[in-house]
Amino acid sequence: ASVTAVSAPTPEGRSAAELRVVAERAGMRIRTSETVLGAVDRLQSCCVPGQSILLFGSHYVVGEYLAERKKRTAINLDL
């Protein structure tokens, strides 16, 4: 299992860098990504058939992914 932190596009959200610091203090090792789609792209490139990616957090994070996915699908880019 792996964890990737991203910044939520909202003023109340913590940055990916801040989340990394908190996680490391708790003994976790995580990666960060500038965007949700970038994180999912990287994770998909590492997955083997049958593995899943769990995307969770605020509606902002999930909404950003869904909006970007819709844009890519509209212009026929692979996801």
Side-chain angles (χ1 to χ4, degrees):
S2 69
V3 176
T4 302
V6 297
S7 302
T10 174
E12 295 84 19
R14 290 189 174 189
S15 71
E18 289 175 299
L19 294 172
R20 178 184 221 156
V21 168
V22 171
E24 287 175 347
R25 285 183 186 154
M28 297 174 62
R29 197 172 123 219
I30 69 168
R31 294 180 176 179
T32 59
S33 181
E34 292 295 317
T35 66
V36 176
L37 201 54
V40 172
D41 284 345
R42 183 174 61 210
L43 292 168
Q44 284 179 323
S45 71
C46 300
C47 284
V48 296
Q51 284 187 317
S52 299
I53 296 171
L54 173 63
L55 177 62
F56 67 95
S58 72
H59 288 57
Y60 293 100
V61 171
V62 177
E64 178 185 341
Y65 171 75
L66 293 174
E68 290 300 318
R69 180 176 169 218
K70 185 175 181 179
K71 286 180 196 175
R72 279 193 180 186
T73 303
I75 56 173
N76 297 320
L77 294 176
D78 292 330
L79 284 179

